[in-house]
Amino acid sequence: MITLHNHMNTINTTKKIPTLNGLRAISILIVMLSHAGYGNIIPGGLGVTIFFFLSGYLITTLLIQEHNAYNKINVKKFYLRRFFRLSPPLFVTIVIAYCLVMLNLLGGEANLVGFFAQLLYFYNYYALFFEGYRHVPNGTGTLWSLAIEEHFYILYPLLLSLLLAKFDLKRIGLFFILLCFMILCWRYYLTLGPNFNPDRTYYATDTRLDSILFGCILAVMKNPMHGEIKRDEFNQIDWMLLVAGLGLILISLIIRGEHFRESLRYTLQGIGLMPVFYLSISRSKNILYNLLNLSILNKLGEFSYSIYLFHYIVINVILLIFVKVKLNAPPLIIFCISLLFSYAYAVFIDEFIEPKFKLLRKKYH
């Protein structure tokens, strides 16, 4: 996912945004618990949606700051920074997964077409329209979300640069709202088609971009990082906003109708996340957010990208081992083992892969 990790290292003023690493950590834990076997009670898809929102918010905040500082957005350098941040851990992860398949330690298939579809961020459509999920290692299916984010960022810096040159932030926000409405209409239209497959709206870029755009809307219309008054205590309006936001998210999880789930669900979650994120940043020192500020969650949040890449591979290896020894795999055991190995893998990436490319990213700041 994720460009799930740290967009914050580009501009000094946003190196540390309180509580956001905590939100990353909560999101990755939601996804892992769902994949470990608690999917019936823990909505893993919500964790991915939170990651989408967070990515849209952070990258828009940084691009606006870059535009304000230099009166332009250097799109070429943006692409280079993203390549040197995301591609090395992705490449290492995919290679490991394909090696595990060839060693019969992981199920699935080691197909060259699947390898490049995942490496080049085409996996979501490859899986949807070419049955690509049959031709990749088990556990690498999570790369669909990374594909959506990269499709978004291919066009987004160019679009935002043009919009910033012509319009103020409020009008840009209204334009993004219009785009979200159009995507909602497109999703709903697809749900009415014959033989509708929910995977079409869940995994496709053209139907999930609004989950990222809602974060962009917060960044341009009511960004708590841009001169907003910050305080610790909640007032009555804050509580109302928080309850309303969490209520919309809860409603999106409770209603199970297919047409709703594959259309309005993502819209309600995007709207509901706005006050949740706004308050988590502007009221970050409130006692309510103490949990998100814990050092252990902060570290999990920092490593969330690598953990997201690797955790489902670990889970599938564990499941295969349990099948071979003819034992049932308790979800809690699966979760704990996968968290341990995924965290160790993230430390490895941070110590031995990241430093080689960090200097290159700094070069293109």
Side-chain angles (χ1 to χ4, degrees):
M1 209 140 308
I2 319 171
T3 56
L4 310 178
H5 189 62
N6 206 342
H7 295 306
M8 296 188 287
N9 289 333
T10 308
I11 304 291
N12 288 335
T13 54
T14 54
K15 273 191 175 179
K16 292 185 178 180
I17 300 179
T19 70
L20 291 190
N21 271 336
L23 287 171
R24 282 194 186 94
I26 296 298
S27 299
I28 192 61
L29 291 175
I30 289 174
V31 172
M32 291 184 70
L33 284 166
S34 178
H35 285 161
Y38 293 108
N40 290 333
I41 57 175
I42 297 177
L46 176 62
V48 176
T49 299
I50 295 172
F51 276 131
F52 282 155
F53 187 102
L54 179 58
S55 294
Y57 171 75
L58 286 178
I59 209 67
T60 303
T61 298
L62 293 174
L63 289 175
I64 290 173
Q65 289 185 351
E66 180 179 345
H67 186 273
N68 290 342
Y70 305 109
N71 203 31
K72 67 175 183 178
I73 294 173
N74 193 314
V75 177
K76 178 183 177 181
K77 288 185 177 181
F78 172 85
Y79 290 147
L80 288 170
R81 289 195 303 269
R82 288 195 64 77
F83 175 80
F84 290 128
R85 172 63 189 96
L86 299 178
S87 294
L90 174 64
F91 179 78
V92 172
T93 303
I94 295 176
V95 169
I96 290 174
Y98 279 73
C99 289
L100 288 172
V101 171
M102 290 186 283
L103 293 171
N104 293 319
L105 297 175
L106 180 65
E109 183 178 324
N111 181 291
L112 193 61
V113 176
F115 177 87
F116 282 105
Q118 292 182 318
L119 187 64
L120 299 177
Y121 307 111
F122 186 65
Y123 177 68
N124 61 335
Y125 286 116
Y126 178 60
L128 277 172
F129 299 119
F130 303 98
E131 295 189 338
Y133 56 88
R134 300 178 184 274
H135 308 299
V136 297
N138 292 347
T140 60
T142 53
L143 297 181
W144 67 271
S145 59
L146 190 59
I148 290 177
E149 290 206 21
E150 292 315 297
H151 297 164
F152 180 80
Y153 292 129
I154 287 173
L155 297 175
Y156 185 65
L158 292 168
L159 174 62
L160 185 60
S161 182
L162 292 172
L163 291 173
L164 287 171
K166 299 288 185 180
F167 305 106
D168 59 24
L169 293 180
K170 182 178 179 180
R171 291 187 180 183
I172 294 173
L174 292 174
F175 175 68
F176 288 164
I177 291 173
L178 177 61
L179 288 180
C180 289
F181 178 73
M182 292 171 64
I183 294 171
L184 169 61
C185 292
W186 173 234
R187 273 202 305 266
Y188 188 74
Y189 170 78
L190 290 174
T191 65
L192 300 177
N195 303 316
F196 167 68
N197 180 1
D199 288 348
R200 172 65 181 87
T201 48
Y202 186 80
Y203 293 110
T205 302
D206 56 288
T207 54
R208 293 301 304 275
L209 279 180
D210 56 336
S211 293
I212 305 176
L213 276 171
F214 279 112
C216 302
I217 292 169
L218 178 63
V220 298
M221 298 196 78
K222 194 65 176 176
N223 196 330
M225 292 300 298
H226 290 166
E228 297 290 337
I229 298 175
K230 297 179 176 64
R231 47 188 166 80
D232 296 344
E233 71 280 1
F234 272 45
N235 60 29
Q236 187 175 4
I237 294 178
D238 293 337
W239 282 113
M240 291 173 63
L241 287 172
L242 183 62
V243 170
L246 293 176
L248 286 176
I249 295 171
L250 183 61
I251 290 171
S252 76
L253 299 175
I254 291 175
I255 300 178
R256 309 299 297 177
E258 186 176 86
H259 290 300
F260 172 86
R261 285 182 57 76
E262 295 310 319
S263 57
L264 272 170
R265 171 174 52 147
Y266 309 118
T267 301
L268 290 186
Q269 289 177 355
I271 296 172
L273 285 172
M274 285 186 178
V276 173
F277 269 78
Y278 176 84
L279 293 170
S280 71
I281 298 169
S282 62
R283 313 288 186 265
S284 60
K285 294 183 180 180
N286 185 278
I287 190 173
L288 191 65
Y289 294 109
N290 281 350
L291 176 65
L292 295 178
N293 292 317
L294 291 176
S295 58
I296 187 172
L297 288 185
N298 183 67
K299 187 57 67 174
L300 276 177
E302 288 182 13
F303 289 162
S304 58
Y305 175 53
S306 296
I307 292 173
Y308 183 81
L309 289 175
F310 200 62
H311 80 279
Y312 206 28
I313 296 171
V314 177
I315 288 174
N316 276 272
V317 170
I318 296 170
L319 291 173
L320 185 61
I321 292 173
F322 271 82
V323 168
K324 288 182 177 180
V325 299
K326 298 180 180 180
L327 291 174
N328 291 324
L332 183 59
I333 298 298
I334 294 173
F335 169 75
C336 292
I337 295 175
S338 64
L339 180 59
L340 177 64
F341 277 90
S342 299
Y343 188 86
Y345 176 72
V347 172
F348 165 77
I349 293 292
D350 186 64
E351 291 290 331
F352 298 103
I353 305 298
E354 267 289 293
K356 300 178 185 299
F357 297 94
K358 192 172 292 183
L359 292 177
L360 288 172
R361 295 203 303 275
K362 288 183 179 179
K363 178 181 177 181
Y364 295 110
H365 277 180

